[in-house]
Amino acid sequence: MTRIFLIGYMGAGKTTLGRALATKLGVEFIDLDNYIEKRYHKTISAIFAEKGEEEFRNIERNMLHEVGEFENVIISTGGGTPCFFDNVEFMNRQGTTVFLDVPEERLFIRLSIARSKRPLIKEKNDEELKAFITEQLGKRRTHYSKAQYTFIADKLEDRRQIEMSVEEFCRQFNI
């Protein structure tokens, strides 16, 4: 039975690597944010706006506990998921947790490109974005480091790199 939780900062490649890994292993892939949006028929941004962060985090925790019971699955969590409640401890009990670690410079490049699709950063200029990444990553790294394993996910920029990263992931974790 496979149950792998991918955690890390936004832009770390949780969805990119998770989807490719699930395809290779022949298991289901779940992006927790997408799962929440489908269940609530609203975007994460809309849920945040209507209910506030506290209620969103309760919803997120409930949905994590739901998908955390599924078997043969790769689960990509939201960047903040591990930072609330006992979410990391729950994931560690339920399966294998892997922190996708990416250098800040690579995160900046990835997030600069995808800035318009990410409500938390779409209004930030380059300097503000760099400072935001540094600050947030500093706060969250403590939570991310509670994962059972760490995988350097700095090479996910094209199909070849993704395939090589999947192979390395499988090799590193004997999958």
Side-chain angles (χ1 to χ4, degrees):
M1 194 258 315
T2 301
R3 188 181 297 127
I4 299 172
F5 297 91
L6 300 177
I7 69 173
Y9 196 68
M10 69 173 135
K14 300 178 300 286
T15 299
T16 299
L17 183 63
R19 187 173 280 122
L21 185 60
T23 298
K24 174 163 178 66
L25 299 178
V27 299
E28 184 179 3
F29 172 71
I30 296 174
D31 178 293
L32 186 61
D33 284 346
N34 290 343
Y35 188 84
I36 293 168
E37 288 178 345
K38 287 178 183 169
R39 285 291 295 276
Y40 282 80
H41 305 286
K42 295 177 182 175
T43 65
I44 298 298
S45 297
I47 296 170
F48 253 87
E50 289 175 23
K51 299 182 181 287
E53 183 176 15
E54 185 176 341
E55 182 57 26
F56 169 75
R57 295 300 177 188
N58 283 319
I59 290 168
E60 180 181 55
R61 180 178 187 226
N62 291 337
M63 296 296 98
L64 176 65
H65 280 249
E66 187 171 303
V67 300
E69 297 294 330
F70 296 175
E71 295 183 359
N72 299 317
V73 65
I74 308 290
I75 301 165
S76 165
T77 67
T81 306
C83 306
F84 295 89
F85 305 108
D86 64 342
N87 290 345
V88 174
E89 291 80 6
F90 171 78
M91 291 184 279
N92 283 336
R93 285 191 310 271
Q94 292 299 106
T96 302
T97 53
V98 181
F99 165 40
L100 300 188
D101 196 5
V102 179
E104 286 184 34
E105 307 79 46
R106 175 61 54 198
L107 287 173
F108 172 73
I109 292 167
R110 290 179 185 172
L111 293 173
S112 296
I113 293 167
R115 192 180 331 223
S116 65
K117 298 176 189 166
R118 301 202 178 250
L120 284 177
I121 60 171
K122 70 179 179 182
E123 302 297 325
K124 298 189 182 312
N125 64 36
D126 284 354
E127 291 308 311
E128 291 169 333
L129 179 58
K130 285 178 186 176
F132 183 77
I133 292 168
T134 299
E135 179 185 342
Q136 290 293 305
L137 198 53
K139 290 178 183 174
R140 292 180 173 190
R141 194 168 284 281
T142 303
H143 300 285
Y144 295 158
S145 68
K146 293 178 185 175
Q148 296 158 333
Y149 302 100
T150 297
F151 182 77
I152 304 301
D154 60 344
K155 294 180 178 72
L156 295 170
E157 311 315 313
D158 59 40
R159 183 171 291 169
R160 186 181 67 70
Q161 285 186 3
I162 294 167
E163 288 171 5
M164 288 174 51
S165 291
V166 167
E167 292 301 322
E168 177 57 31
F169 189 98
C170 291
R171 212 174 10 261
Q172 187 173 332
F173 301 113
N174 297 314
I175 298 174

